[in-house]
Amino acid sequence: MSHFFADDGARIHIHISGDGPPVVMLHGWTSSHQEWFPFLAALQPKHRVYRWDARGHGGHPLDGGTPPTAQRMARDLQNLLDHYALDRVVVVGHSMGALTLWQYIRDFGTERLAGVCIIDQSPRLNRPGFRRGSEV
């Protein structure tokens, strides 16, 4: 397992494998880089795959006991892209990883992205009246 340092000094665990154009995979809430094991055999022969353990997940302690924000994880993604000098990257986000990706696009734009894949993210979160994906 490797790591990089975020701009606030946090050490972020990352697993890198395969060869080819970069794909960054962002796991869901309470998960880790292991979430992506079923996809590696198909991706690694054609892509360099970057799978992190987001802050507070996969063995990272919760700093201060509070979960990281989408803004902080989006910044961590920017730090990952900077550290490994990645451009024209495809980013796959599942659940919380999708939220991180949307926040990244909001905060940093799409210039460094070749594509995005959003998997299983609720259309609305923590809103009054929210029930099973539809407005009440």
Side-chain angles (χ1 to χ4, degrees):
M1 176 168 33
S2 190
H3 67 276
F4 67 94
F5 288 98
D7 58 8
D8 65 353
R11 182 178 170 147
I12 308 293
H13 302 153
I14 188 162
H15 295 261
I16 305 168
S17 59
D19 192 30
V23 174
V24 174
M25 305 186 88
L26 309 174
H27 62 76
W29 182 251
T30 72
S31 193
S32 73
H33 71 279
Q34 295 178 15
E35 175 177 314
W36 303 110
F37 282 164
F39 304 96
L40 292 180
L43 289 173
Q44 290 176 135
K46 296 181 181 181
H47 296 279
R48 186 111 171 123
V49 182
Y50 297 78
R51 299 172 294 130
W52 74 4
D53 288 340
R55 290 173 184 250
H57 297 78
H60 286 290
L62 280 178
D63 295 336
T66 58
T69 65
Q71 291 84 3
R72 179 63 254 182
M73 289 186 291
R75 189 161 196 82
D76 291 344
L77 176 56
Q78 177 73 0
N79 295 159
L80 181 157
L81 298 180
D82 289 344
H83 179 81
Y84 294 102
L86 300 178
D87 283 307
R88 305 300 306 148
V89 63
V90 172
V91 181
V92 179
H94 168 237
S95 190
M96 177 191 75
L99 179 63
T100 300
L101 180 51
W102 284 123
Q103 188 69 46
Y104 174 87
I105 291 168
R106 179 179 181 196
D107 294 348
F108 300 100
T110 59
E111 182 177 319
R112 298 176 81 173
L113 306 180
V116 299
C117 178
I118 304 294
I119 302 170
D120 194 29
Q121 184 195 13
S122 177
R124 298 194 121 181
L125 300 172
N126 299 325
R127 302 272 178 137
F130 174 73
R131 288 194 191 139
R132 300 183 193 105
S134 64
E135 192 75 47
V136 179

